Amino acid sequence: MNKDAQMRATINQKLIETGERERLKELLRAKLIECGWKDQLKAHCKDVIKEKGLEHVTVDDLVAEITPKGRALVPDSVKKELLQRIRT
Amino acid sequence: MKMEEMSLSGLDNSKLEAIAHEIYTDLVEDACLGLCFEVHRAVKCGYFFLDDTDPDSMKDFEIVDQPGVDIFGQVYNQWKNKECVCPNCSRSIAASRFAPHLEKCLGMGRNSSRIANRRIASSNNMNKSESDQEDNDDINDNDWSYGSEKKAKKRKSDKNPNSPRRSKSLKHKNGELSGNSDPFKYSNSSGINYETLGPEELRSLLTTQCGVISEHTKKMCTRSLRCPQHTDEQRRSVRVYLLGPSASLPEAEGSVENEGFDVSESQAIMSRLQWDGSSDISPSDSASSKASTNNSESRKTKKKKPHLSLVGGTPGLSSSKKKKPKPPAPPTPSIYDDIN
């Protein structure tokens, strides 16, 4: 188990070192904007903020509200493509 | 990479998949976090709701998607709003006629360049023939809508009977030419270069013409003493500059002459009217009206020829000149010769 965690750490390290992680992130962002994910999430943000009142919004709140929704909203095609890229 | 491969080989497939998934969720969360930061900053800075408007105004400006109607719900009219304003002569012209008009108005394009070539070629011979060509061009140029079209017709009717005479006047001028070497100094379209003139010539010129020196071309205005483009003040200062302080503007005489002339010579009035109508307009247009006034002018000079021959050759003889109409357009060399 310990070995497993270590392995994970090395892989992450490797990803960051080679800049692959940045590249993947950029790709993901482009894809998500392209498919309207960002707009959907923004609309959701709007609802959340209206609910809470403009002045009482914190980043933590937003993250808590948005992240699960964001994860759910990612289209399958984008997910598949990204996983493919990660594997290679 | 080698190390990774090594480690990858040590893992089974499901574990690899799990790791990939983990990386993926990491990335997605990153993206979410980025968005959250963005939104939060927008909220705190107060520009998050800027693009929202109230719903009824949204309804007002809703995009209309129906056949035969543009996105604002207006009926698209094919023949409306298709007038262009010419930047040169600031008339509004139907869009379909705009390009040909510009060609003529600005002196560019195929036809006009041909005209220009001809003009260059013939500039050494006869100013007259060249302006004739321009005339014809202008007659064909019925770009203008309604009112100006009438004018063009009038011009046509005015000119066509002239054409035989025109050729006569040309010959007449040729005959005169041999006796006088002056005429080439005055190019009719561009004004007179005052530096080339002697004092006597200058004096005679200034008694008949406006003579104000243009800032741009450094040429003298060749129109009448009452030409609308320049003020009396300008004329006076030019005379003072060229002839010394003793020279004055013969304004009163000019007006008297003009009146007497107006009564007698209806033809010239016609041409003058024409000139007034189109004085502010395109170069080719003004050139044509110049030519038309020149025609009437040269006809007249022929009538007076016997009289002129008596006084001919002495510049500055204002008695003979007074009977002459003041042409609103610059006189051509031929006229000038006749006067003197």
Side-chain angles (χ1 to χ4, degrees):
Chain A
M1 219 38 193
N2 194 21
K3 199 192 163 201
D4 204 18
Q6 200 191 338
M7 184 61 60
R8 223 165 270 185
T10 0
I11 289 175
N12 262 332
Q13 183 75 15
K14 206 77 198 163
L15 275 175
I16 293 169
E17 268 174 25
T18 54
E20 188 61 33
R21 200 185 136 87
E22 272 310 304
R23 240 169 291 156
L24 284 171
K25 212 158 122 186
E26 200 51 51
L27 178 80
L28 177 67
R29 197 174 302 155
K31 287 275 171 206
L32 288 181
I33 291 174
E34 199 177 281
C35 69
W37 174 88
K38 197 177 171 181
D39 290 336
Q40 273 175 291
L41 228 57
K42 231 177 187 169
H44 184 63
C45 281
K46 225 172 259 185
D47 292 343
V48 172
I49 291 161
K50 267 181 190 156
E51 204 177 283
K52 298 211 169 192
L54 206 70
E55 298 303 318
H56 315 102
V57 181
T58 63
V59 184
D60 290 339
D61 286 345
L62 272 178
V63 173
E65 290 271 355
I66 296 306
T67 312
K69 184 114 190 175
R71 213 176 291 164
L73 277 174
V74 176
D76 272 352
S77 62
V78 176
K79 188 174 172 179
K80 265 182 203 148
E81 189 179 339
L82 213 73
L83 282 174
Q84 190 64 35
R85 278 286 298 265
I86 293 168
R87 252 180 246 127
T88 53
Chain B
M1 267 312 179
K2 259 185 189 158
M3 194 186 119
E4 202 170 320
E5 275 167 34
M6 215 169 62
S7 61
L8 282 179
S9 61
L11 291 166
D12 56 15
N13 221 11
S14 68
K15 273 217 175 116
L16 204 67
E17 198 70 6
I19 289 175
H21 216 93
E22 203 172 297
I23 294 167
Y24 158 74
T25 45
D26 253 19
L27 286 170
V28 170
E29 255 159 58
D30 257 18
C32 280
L33 191 64
L35 186 82
C36 286
F37 281 146
E38 198 178 297
V39 169
H40 184 257
R41 181 180 150 74
V43 170
K44 291 300 171 190
C45 294
Y47 61 82
F48 188 60
F49 289 107
L50 280 186
D51 52 345
D52 288 9
T53 42
D54 44 331
D56 45 323
S57 71
M58 282 296 274
K59 203 152 275 172
D60 276 353
F61 299 112
E62 217 170 13
I63 292 175
V64 179
D65 188 15
Q66 283 164 7
V69 171
D70 67 5
I71 61 162
F72 303 110
Q74 292 158 344
V75 179
Y76 173 67
N77 190 346
Q78 229 184 339
W79 304 110
K80 217 172 132 191
N81 283 337
K82 287 211 167 174
E83 293 243 304
C84 310
V85 176
C86 172
N88 197 30
C89 63
S90 61
R91 284 195 243 190
S92 66
I93 290 125
S96 55
R97 297 287 308 158
F98 187 59
H101 164 73
L102 261 193
E103 204 173 88
K104 269 152 198 153
C105 194
L106 294 177
M108 289 191 282
R110 262 180 307 154
N111 251 336
S112 318
S113 74
R114 259 181 236 145
I115 292 166
N117 283 338
R118 253 181 285 164
R119 188 179 305 158
I120 290 164
S122 63
S123 65
N124 289 331
N125 314 338
M126 210 84 319
N127 291 321
K128 209 68 177 175
S129 58
E130 152 210 328
S131 50
D132 278 2
Q133 282 169 1
E134 243 175 293
D135 272 0
N136 295 335
D137 183 43
D138 224 63
I139 286 169
N140 295 332
D141 181 12
N142 44 9
D143 293 347
W144 326 120
S145 35
Y146 299 102
S148 45
E149 223 168 49
K150 274 180 212 156
K151 203 198 288 172
K153 267 177 207 157
K154 189 178 120 193
R155 197 185 297 155
K156 230 184 273 183
S157 63
D158 193 31
K159 257 174 226 162
N160 286 342
N162 290 350
S163 39
R165 296 191 194 177
R166 208 181 278 165
S167 56
K168 259 192 260 167
S169 76
L170 213 78
K171 278 180 220 151
H172 155 65
K173 190 188 162 191
N174 277 333
E176 284 280 292
L177 269 178
S178 55
N180 203 329
S181 60
D182 264 348
F184 292 124
K185 276 182 191 171
Y186 323 108
S187 57
N188 69 337
S189 55
S190 58
I192 296 172
N193 196 346
Y194 62 92
E195 287 153 311
T196 60
L197 298 176
E200 278 304 306
E201 288 165 322
L202 259 181
R203 189 178 300 278
S204 67
L205 211 79
L206 288 176
T207 51
T208 52
Q209 293 174 5
C210 169
V212 172
I213 296 163
S214 159
E215 287 172 28
H216 307 292
T217 60
K218 304 290 178 211
K219 298 283 173 75
M220 292 169 88
C221 174
T222 51
R223 277 184 243 156
S224 79
L225 278 171
R226 302 203 299 176
C227 98
Q229 262 187 5
H230 302 103
T231 63
D232 286 349
E233 196 47 51
Q234 282 174 305
R235 280 189 270 275
R236 198 163 293 129
S237 63
V238 165
R239 276 156 184 74
V240 169
Y241 168 63
L242 290 174
L243 302 175
S246 61
S248 65
L249 183 66
E251 183 56 39
E253 303 170 358
S255 61
V256 171
E257 295 158 20
N258 272 331
E259 274 159 29
F261 152 70
D262 278 352
V263 178
S264 60
E265 290 283 345
S266 61
Q267 178 65 30
I269 291 171
M270 283 281 279
S271 61
R272 173 187 305 229
L273 283 176
Q274 224 169 285
W275 170 260
D276 286 345
S278 56
S279 62
D280 53 336
I281 320 174
S282 69
S284 67
D285 212 34
S286 58
S288 78
S289 36
K290 257 182 246 169
S292 67
T293 46
N294 288 341
N295 283 334
S296 60
E297 207 30 35
S298 46
R299 249 177 286 135
K300 217 165 297 136
T301 56
K302 229 185 293 168
K303 278 182 221 157
K304 301 210 167 162
K305 207 180 165 191
H307 169 61
L308 281 174
S309 60
L310 291 176
V311 272
T314 50
L317 242 182
S318 52
S319 65
S320 73
K321 255 169 255 151
K322 267 181 201 165
K323 286 185 184 162
K324 291 260 128 115
K326 299 290 173 192
T332 49
S334 66
I335 300 156
Y336 187 77
D337 296 344
D338 291 340
I339 288 171
N340 294 318

